[in-house]
């Protein structure tokens, strides 16, 4: 059975059983800093499990893209060495949100596997959480699984948690016995064993708790079910293959590697097969990560991507010297694009980033491996790579720890991981990378304390104060002169989000206005920081005023950002994806993924398009709809952003741009006035950054530039459009003048040569000349010294002083080398006159403070005489 058929059967089965089909979310979790990558199907449903969000359905089914290469669940170290681990995989799952629980969940799984997939019950095993009698009994009585095929395991195996915090609960896992030939042969071999015999296929989690940062478990308001089954593992069993890399999803990818390397996978050595596996998996995961907007970097998600690519580069050496990553990526895209259409538009970026990332690392990979060879030799008795050594490899050669571990392992060495972490920690502290604690940790607002944000329609409101915070505590009043935070029932203040900066403004109490110092969101409330101009208490009524000019400029820049993104996509293609944005009253900054550079013509076309749309004065259509509906209409959503699937806010600039956004916008595009890109540059490989201005700022820029050009045209006495040529002409003339001066200078010192030569004295029979030559460059000094030395070989010391600094050039003819030690002379010069210098054989060049030439002459003569 092909994977496509398995996908279909899975969806059909659960839809038939009342589940709503939900699309896979991005690999970048939506606004969830507790999670590096989407690592399970339930991630996108986290808030529903926690009771913070509801949907129109209580049963869902999905096939979710997942990454397990960092954070709590990581399989990176295993890939290449087992037949069943991947960093990127697809997780099939069914979910219940306060709907069915254990009985139905187990029954569904059993029916799907035994009926739809035709698994033989004789080969099926279940594990349950040690204390979960209910699940045990369901397996035994309801399903009729023999006792010998059910086992109880501890927390490590049968209690699932998403991350260090968040939803969690006991689970039951379904294993399939693949036969004794896959086993490790140990008597203890049973489900849960590390070998390949009992393959874990499906994990059914009974979500019951919300794990807190302190490790305690708070019961959830409503229980739920979260199940996950790796599509690839299911294919492995159904297609009766030995390894995941033999299933249909990998067939084309492995074929591509075979063709590129001329090595047949089935005939390859074990080492080479490991390299095939690693390349197939790692390039597949990198392709998906880049398509979702991740680019290689030195931190966070970008660093995991870098680690994966570098680890793959290490293994690739076993198969070829060529960089075959882009071609492998291409076959991944071909294989998966029909299911994940986001891949194709990102193809160029994927190939480009993989190419440069591998090339950049190639040299360091060789250096690092050589160093490691030395370490192996040095500690061949202890067989351990120390933390300091692993850190050195990381710091100097960019070797991720995972890479050092692989190579060490191949040599029978281990790595001191703790030692490595210690060194990392020291480095982090040095670079000041400590994470600052969030404010208001101690504040626990009552559920009724909510602020109604009215800032889309109004810039001024009067309402009641609901809470006051002073010194990180809830208080009843704020005394005059105290700085604290007030929470109002209604607020027009926009709090920084989605790149748009927080509003500025005032709080007016009776007739006194006081500026707001800061804004922050606490759960559903907006806290405003002020210094109380008079004592204020809970229930007092105050007025909140947004700074209109500030906000209007922000609105111009926000809508302009949307126009810019749409124009960029039109000009550069769908590969353009927002990767960052700052909407400020004075300017906008927009970061986006794009593999190439932008030409001045492209920049101009983008500007023209935006200005065209501004002139069309298109009224904005802002409305709320469901996420799915918006996506169907072709709306642009931003990866990593959290959207409520049932209600999203659409900013529609008809026939040009449609984005999901919570920001504040103009009424019609004409309000923006005009738009000008001021800077376009590379942010990092595969990412570009644009700065632009709008409205008043753009006009100011235009006026300033105009005034400058006008002045220049008057200075140069040319029409404005010829100013540039006039400047270029003048530069050319200036260059010529400098050349003339240089020539004249040369003529003048040449004329002087005879006089200087006459002043040469003899010390110990060596001709010696020590002269001050005013206003000469280091280059001049060198030329003069060489000329003197050619005419009368000897020892020459030339000094030029300028602006309290002096520079010197000293030359010694070859035949006197044995008599004068220039090295010793340099030391003496430094100790006596603070003149520092160095140079090639027979010369000394350098500088220091201003020196009186007579004093210097006396000193040098005395030194030479000695
Ligand atoms: N969340 C569970 C897992 O990832 C079941 O989907 O294994």
């Amino acid at each position: 059975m092909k994977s496509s058929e398995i996908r279909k059967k899975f969806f059909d089965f659960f839809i038939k059983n009342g589940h709503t089909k939900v699309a896979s979310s991005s690999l970048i979790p939506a606004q969830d800093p507790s999670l590096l990558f989407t690592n399970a199907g339930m991630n996108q449903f986290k808030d529903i499990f926690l009771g913070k969000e509801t949907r129109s359905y209580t049963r869902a089914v999905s096939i979710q893209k997942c990454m397990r290469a960092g954070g709590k669940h990581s399989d990176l170290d295993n890939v290449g060495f087992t037949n069943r681990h991947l960093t990127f995989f697809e997780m099939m799952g069914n979910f219940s949100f306060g709907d069915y629980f254990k009985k139905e969940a187990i029954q569904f799984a059993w029916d799907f596997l035994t009926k739809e997939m035709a698994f033989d019950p004789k080969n099926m095993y279940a594990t349950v959480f040690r204390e979960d009698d209910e699940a045990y009994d369901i397996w035994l009585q309801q399903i009729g699984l023999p006792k010998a095929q059910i086992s109880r395991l501890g927390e490590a195996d049968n209690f699932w948690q998403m991350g260090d915090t968040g939803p969690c609960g006991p689970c039951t896992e379904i294993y399939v016995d693949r036969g004794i030939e896959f086993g490790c042969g140990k008597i203890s071999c049973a489900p849960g064993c590390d070998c390949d015999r009992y393959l874990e296929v499906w994990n059914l989690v009974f979500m019951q708790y919300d794990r807190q940062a302190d490790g305690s478990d708070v019961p959830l308001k409503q229980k739920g079910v979260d199940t996950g089954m790796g599509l690839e593992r299911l294919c492995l069993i159904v297609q009766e293959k030995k390894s995941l890399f033999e299933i249909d999803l990998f067939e084309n990818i492995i074929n591509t590697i075979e063709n590129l390397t001329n090595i047949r996978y089935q005939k390859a050595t074990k080492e080479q097969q490991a390299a095939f596996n690693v390349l197939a998996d790692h390039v597949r995961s990198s392709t998906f990560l880049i398509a979702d907007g991740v680019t290689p970097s030195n931190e966070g998600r970008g660093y995991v991507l870098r680690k994966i690519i570098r680890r793959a580069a290490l293994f690739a050496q076993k198969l070829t010297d060529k960089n075959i990553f882009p071609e492998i990526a291409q076959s991944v895209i071909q294989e998966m694009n029909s299911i994940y259409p986001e891949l194709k538009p990102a193809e160029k970026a994927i190939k480009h980033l993989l190419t440069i990332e591998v090339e950049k690392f190639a040299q360091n990979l060789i250096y690092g491996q050589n160093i490691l060879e030395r370490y192996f030799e040095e500690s061949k008795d202890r067989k351990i790579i120390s933390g300091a050594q692993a850190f050195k490899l990381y710091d100097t050669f960019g070797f991720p720890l995972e890479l050092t571990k692989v190579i060490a392992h191949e040599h029978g060495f281990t790595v001191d991981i703790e030692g490595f972490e210690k060194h990392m920690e020291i480095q982090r502290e040095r670079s000041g990378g400590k994470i600052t604690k969030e404010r208001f940790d101690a504040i626990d607002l009552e559920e009724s304390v909510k602020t109604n944000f009215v800032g889309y329609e109004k810039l001024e409101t009067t309402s009641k104060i609901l809470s006051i915070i002073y010194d990180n505590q809830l208080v009843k009043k704020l005394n005059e002169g105290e700085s604290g935070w007030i929470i109002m029932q209604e607020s027009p203040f926009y709090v920084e989000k989605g790149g748009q900066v927080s509003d500025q403004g005032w709080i007016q109490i009776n007739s006194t206005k006081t500026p707001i110092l800061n804004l922050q969101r606490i759960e559903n409330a907006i806290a405003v920081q002020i210094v109380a101009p008079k004592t204020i208490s809970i229930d007092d009524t105050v007025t909140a005023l947004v700074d209109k000019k500030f906000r209007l400029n922000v609105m111009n820049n926000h809508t302009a950002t949307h126009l810019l993104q749409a124009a960029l996509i039109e000009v550069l293609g769908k590969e353009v994806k927002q990767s960052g944005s700052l909407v400020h009253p004075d300017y906008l900054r927009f970061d986006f993924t794009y593999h190439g550079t932008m030409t001045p013509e492209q920049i101009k076309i983008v500007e023209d398009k935006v200005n065209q749309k501004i002139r069309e004065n298109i009224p904005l259509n802002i409305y709320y709809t469901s996420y799915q509906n918006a996506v169907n209409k072709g709306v642009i959503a931003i990866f990593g952003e959290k959207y409520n699937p049932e209600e999203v806010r659409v900013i529609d600039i008809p026939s040009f741009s449609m984005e999901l956004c919570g920001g504040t916008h103009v009424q019609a595009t004409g309000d923006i006035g005009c738009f000008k890109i001021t800077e376009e540059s590379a942010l990092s490989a595969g990412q570009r950054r644009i700065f632009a201005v709008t409205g008043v700022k753009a006009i100011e820029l235009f006026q300033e530039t105009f005034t400058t050009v006008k002045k220049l045209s008057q200075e140069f006495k040319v029409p404005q459009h010829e100013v540039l040529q006039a400047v270029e002409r003048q530069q050319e003339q200036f260059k010529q003048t400098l050349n003339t001066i240089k020539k004249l200078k040369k003529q003048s010192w040449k004329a002087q040569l005879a006089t200087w030569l006459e002043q040469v004295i003899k010390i110990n029979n060596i001709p010696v000349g020590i002269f001050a030559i005013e206003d000469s460059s280091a280059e001049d000094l060198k030329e003069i010294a060489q000329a003197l030395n050619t005419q009368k070989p000897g020892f020459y010391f030339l000094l030029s002083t300028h602006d309290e600094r002096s520079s010197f050039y000293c030359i010694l003819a070859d035949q006197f080398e044995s008599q004068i030690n220039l090295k010793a002379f340099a030391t003496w010069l430094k100790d006596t006159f603070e003149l520092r210098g160095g140079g090639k054989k027979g010369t000394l060049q350098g500088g220091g403070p201003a020196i009186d030439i007579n004093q210097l002459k006396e000193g040098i003569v005395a030194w030479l005489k000695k």
Side-chain angles (χ1 to χ4, degrees):
M1 200 186 296
K2 290 244 165 241
S3 54
S4 52
E5 202 178 326
I6 298 181
R7 282 182 208 275
K8 186 168 177 327
K9 278 187 186 272
F10 185 74
F11 279 130
D12 288 350
F13 177 84
F14 281 100
I15 292 170
K16 191 178 73 198
N17 283 296
H19 292 69
T20 299
K21 180 173 166 180
V22 178
S24 168
S25 63
S26 161
L27 283 172
I28 313 301
Q31 274 190 3
D32 190 345
S34 73
L35 204 58
L36 200 58
F37 294 115
T38 299
N39 64 9
M42 56 73 63
N43 292 166
Q44 63 168 320
F45 306 120
K46 178 181 171 187
D47 282 349
I48 313 183
F49 283 118
L50 291 177
K52 289 187 187 163
E53 193 185 312
T54 52
R55 303 240 176 124
S56 53
Y57 47 84
T58 53
R59 296 179 176 201
V61 56
S62 71
I63 300 185
Q64 172 68 47
K65 311 186 263 192
C66 292
M67 261 316 275
R68 291 202 173 168
K72 187 149 194 71
H73 299 276
S74 177
D75 287 330
L76 185 57
D77 286 342
N78 287 323
V79 178
F81 303 112
T82 75
N83 286 327
R84 60 179 202 280
H85 285 104
L86 298 169
T87 54
F88 171 87
F89 66 102
E90 293 173 83
M91 188 184 272
M92 312 164 87
N94 57 293
F95 306 89
S96 150
F97 314 117
D99 190 313
Y100 60 82
F101 204 44
K102 297 184 187 179
K103 271 203 293 218
E104 297 86 339
I106 293 175
Q107 190 70 49
F108 282 146
W110 181 258
D111 288 348
F112 180 75
L113 291 180
T114 54
K115 295 189 181 139
E116 304 291 327
M117 296 291 114
F119 278 21
D120 183 350
K122 279 211 297 294
N123 298 331
M124 292 169 73
Y125 288 76
T127 62
V128 300
F129 183 47
R130 203 178 33 221
E131 289 142 42
D132 193 352
D133 295 334
E134 190 187 349
Y136 188 94
D137 288 344
I138 296 170
W139 280 114
L140 188 70
Q141 281 156 19
Q142 182 183 313
I143 303 294
L145 202 62
K147 264 193 184 151
Q149 283 166 241
I150 315 171
S151 50
R152 294 177 187 257
L153 292 176
E155 190 147 336
D157 290 287
N158 280 71
F159 194 97
W160 199 85
Q161 58 196 94
M162 183 184 121
D164 291 328
T165 58
C168 58
C171 58
T172 178
E173 291 185 326
I174 303 174
Y175 284 77
V176 170
D177 180 2
R178 308 196 57 215
I180 196 151
E181 64 275 26
F182 290 94
C184 56
K186 290 188 197 133
I187 300 177
S188 59
C189 185
C193 177
D194 224 19
C195 73
D196 280 348
R197 175 165 179 183
Y198 297 97
L199 189 69
E200 178 204 324
V201 281
W202 208 337
N203 183 15
L204 320 178
V205 183
F206 308 121
M207 287 299 188
Q208 261 169 276
Y209 308 104
D210 177 10
R211 181 150 298 178
Q212 308 295 301
D214 65 4
S216 62
D217 287 335
V218 175
L220 293 171
K221 280 193 196 125
Q222 58 172 25
K223 292 177 191 165
V225 171
D226 146 38
T227 87
M229 165 161 63
L231 169 65
E232 295 82 353
R233 284 197 180 177
L234 191 57
C235 290
L236 176 72
I237 297 169
V238 174
Q239 297 171 6
E240 295 179 7
K241 300 287 183 195
K242 226 174 81 197
S243 139
L244 288 177
F245 299 98
E246 293 168 10
I247 65 171
D248 65 341
L249 283 169
F250 278 101
E251 206 175 306
N252 289 330
I253 303 172
I254 295 287
N255 281 344
T256 304
I257 307 178
E258 286 184 323
N259 294 340
L260 290 164
T261 59
N262 272 328
I263 300 172
R264 297 293 120 204
Y265 183 67
Q266 293 302 347
K267 292 200 181 126
T269 62
K270 228 176 137 197
E271 257 202 335
Q272 288 172 328
Q273 281 195 345
F276 266 90
N277 299 348
V278 167
L279 266 177
D281 170 79
H282 288 14
V283 176
R284 198 167 84 124
S285 46
S286 305
T287 299
F288 273 92
L289 282 178
I290 297 172
D292 273 348
V294 183
T295 51
S297 76
N298 280 335
E299 54 187 19
R301 297 179 177 123
Y303 187 58
V304 178
L305 174 58
R306 177 159 281 170
K307 280 203 277 203
I308 296 174
I309 299 175
R310 292 188 175 179
R311 192 172 183 269
L314 173 75
F315 278 89
Q317 296 176 118
K318 300 206 160 80
L319 301 177
T320 175
D321 293 337
K322 289 178 291 189
N323 180 358
I324 57 173
F325 284 52
E327 284 96 339
I328 306 175
Q330 170 140 10
S331 69
V332 173
I333 297 170
Q334 258 163 18
E335 180 65 45
M336 306 294 277
N337 193 58
S338 61
I339 295 153
Y340 299 104
E342 64 271 30
L343 294 176
K344 192 80 193 155
E347 180 170 342
K348 267 195 204 150
I350 293 166
K351 289 183 176 172
H352 173 73
L353 283 175
L354 286 175
T355 306
I356 53 171
E357 187 64 15
V358 172
E359 273 164 17
K360 256 191 344 207
F361 185 55
Q363 197 57 43
N364 273 355
L365 181 59
I366 297 168
Y367 290 152
Q369 287 176 113
N370 288 340
I371 300 276
L372 258 173
E373 289 296 337
R374 219 182 64 212
Y375 291 163
F376 291 140
E377 190 53 39
E378 278 168 16
S379 34
K380 55 174 177 265
D381 304 326
R382 292 180 53 238
K383 292 214 169 287
I384 183 161
I385 296 295
S386 72
Q389 288 171 330
F391 181 75
K392 169 122 190 129
L393 283 163
Y394 162 83
D395 205 32
T396 320
F397 301 106
F399 267 43
L401 183 65
E402 286 77 359
L403 210 114
T404 305
K405 278 201 276 192
V406 171
I407 307 173
H409 184 76
E410 281 174 353
H411 286 73
F413 274 60
T414 53
V415 183
D416 173 8
I417 293 166
E418 234 172 75
F420 173 83
E421 295 298 348
K422 258 188 217 141
H423 280 85
M424 283 293 281
E425 188 54 29
I426 295 167
Q427 195 198 42
R428 243 176 256 137
E429 268 169 29
R430 269 202 213 119
S431 59
K434 282 250 171 248
I435 298 161
T436 49
K437 255 188 136 285
E438 244 185 37
R439 265 191 175 119
F440 303 129
D441 267 359
I443 301 294
D444 190 11
L445 292 180
E446 278 179 33
E447 244 175 69
S448 61
V449 179
K450 285 184 195 154
T451 308
N452 179 21
F453 173 68
V454 293
Y456 290 141
E457 306 88 32
K458 293 192 238 174
L459 296 183
E460 188 178 326
T461 58
T462 300
S463 75
K464 229 170 46 175
I465 296 178
L466 301 176
S467 297
I468 300 178
I469 300 168
Y470 177 71
D471 198 14
N472 209 6
Q473 275 174 8
L474 287 169
V475 292
K476 296 233 163 340
K477 61 178 187 170
L478 201 58
N479 294 318
E480 184 179 334
E482 280 176 353
S483 166
W485 300 77
I486 59 170
I487 294 173
M488 295 168 63
Q489 199 163 30
E490 251 186 28
S491 170
F493 295 129
Y494 184 87
V495 186
E496 180 179 356
K497 202 173 177 201
Q500 177 176 334
V501 298
S502 287
D503 275 335
Q504 289 187 0
W506 303 267
I507 293 289
Q508 185 172 325
I509 304 159
N510 301 332
S511 57
T512 331
K513 248 166 80 171
T514 185
I516 63 170
L517 305 177
N518 207 341
L519 290 167
Q520 201 159 320
R521 205 171 276 284
I522 314 175
E523 290 161 29
N524 293 319
I526 295 174
V528 184
Q529 192 186 24
I530 50 166
V531 175
K534 53 179 69 167
T535 299
I536 43 176
S537 314
I538 289 185
D539 286 337
D540 280 358
T541 298
V542 297
T543 302
L545 305 155
V546 176
D547 181 333
K548 279 193 192 126
K549 204 165 128 207
F550 182 97
R551 167 70 93 73
L552 291 180
N553 288 336
V554 167
M555 285 172 12
N556 283 343
N557 285 336
H558 204 151
T559 310
T561 303
H562 287 210
L563 292 176
L564 171 63
Q565 165 145 260
L568 284 169
I569 293 172
E570 274 196 16
V571 176
L572 304 177
K574 279 215 173 116
E575 181 201 324
V576 169
K577 276 209 186 97
Q578 172 169 345
S579 58
S581 153
L582 177 69
V583 180
H584 189 274
D586 294 340
Y587 62 94
L588 64 94
R589 192 185 73 205
F590 185 71
D591 299 341
F592 58 102
T593 51
Y594 181 60
H595 75 283
T597 51
M598 281 185 82
T599 62
E601 293 75 39
Q602 284 172 325
I603 295 175
K604 185 172 177 302
I605 298 172
V606 168
E607 269 176 7
D608 287 347
K609 276 187 190 287
V610 173
N611 281 311
Q612 170 64 31
K613 291 294 152 186
I614 291 173
R615 280 194 305 276
E616 283 173 22
N617 197 19
I618 308 166
L620 267 68
N621 178 19
I622 300 179
Y623 60 91
Y624 292 85
T625 181
S626 74
Y627 182 77
Q628 200 49 52
N629 197 9
V631 169
N632 293 346
K633 285 187 175 170
V635 86
I636 298 179
I638 298 164
F639 70 82
E641 201 70 37
K642 169 135 178 79
Y643 298 109
N644 174 356
E646 314 223 310
E647 192 182 78
V648 289
R649 185 165 178 260
V650 179
I651 310 293
D652 181 12
I653 306 173
S655 338
F656 192 60
S657 151
M658 214 196 296
E659 281 189 47
L660 297 187
C661 175
T664 61
H665 288 269
V666 299
Q667 289 192 338
T669 54
D671 298 353
I672 301 168
C674 61
F675 171 84
K676 178 80 191 90
I677 292 178
T678 53
E679 216 182 301
E680 191 279 335
S681 60
L683 183 58
S684 63
Q687 288 207 66
R688 313 230 31 112
R689 167 168 281 186
I690 281 179
F691 282 96
V693 289
T694 62
V696 176
K697 286 283 165 197
I699 290 172
E700 274 172 17
L701 177 69
F702 164 68
Q703 287 166 333
E704 265 170 35
T705 315
F706 184 86
T707 314
T708 310
V709 176
K710 185 161 186 162
K711 273 202 188 125
L712 282 171
S713 100
Q714 284 161 351
E715 283 291 321
F716 284 103
K717 303 198 172 46
V718 291
Q720 286 186 18
H721 65 272
E722 282 176 18
V723 162
L724 189 62
Q725 284 138 306
V727 171
E728 282 168 357
R729 262 201 309 276
Q730 198 176 61
Q731 268 176 343
E732 190 50 39
Q733 282 167 1
F734 186 64
K735 241 199 280 170
Q736 281 172 7
T737 314
L738 276 182
N739 273 339
T740 314
I741 293 175
K742 226 169 151 186
K743 268 192 217 142
L744 286 173
K745 262 191 175 168
K746 201 164 179 172
Q747 279 170 9
S748 109
W749 67 249
K750 274 195 174 151
Q752 266 252 285
L753 266 189
T755 325
W756 283 325
L757 284 171
E758 273 167 24
Q759 290 169 17
V760 168
I761 52 169
K762 277 210 169 162
I763 298 174
N764 301 333
N765 240 349
I766 307 172
V768 171
I770 302 163
F771 309 116
I773 299 174
E774 287 323 313
D775 214 13
S776 297
S777 67
E779 201 51 35
D780 292 340
L781 291 182
K782 185 174 166 185
E783 265 189 68
I784 302 170
Q786 281 170 343
L788 288 166
N789 198 38
T790 313
Q791 301 231 357
K792 199 184 265 184
F795 173 94
Y796 295 93
F797 191 99
L798 308 184
L799 182 84
S800 167
T801 307
H802 188 76
D803 269 355
E804 305 288 306
R805 302 284 308 161
S806 53
S807 50
F808 70 86
Y809 192 88
C810 171
I811 195 163
L812 175 68
D814 292 351
Q815 59 259 52
F816 303 117
E817 242 172 52
S818 57
Q819 281 161 272
I820 297 175
N821 180 345
L822 270 193
K823 246 195 183 153
F825 176 64
T827 312
W828 172 82
L829 209 53
K830 187 181 79 195
D831 295 345
T832 323
F833 292 103
E834 286 178 48
L835 290 176
R836 281 159 213 276
K840 280 195 256 150
K841 182 178 161 292
T843 67
L844 208 57
Q845 182 174 10
I851 310 258
D852 174 53
I853 185 70
N854 292 324
Q855 231 179 329
L856 183 74
K857 213 181 214 168
E858 240 170 64
I860 298 180
V861 169
W863 186 86
L864 285 173
K865 280 189 175 154
K866 264 202 284 173

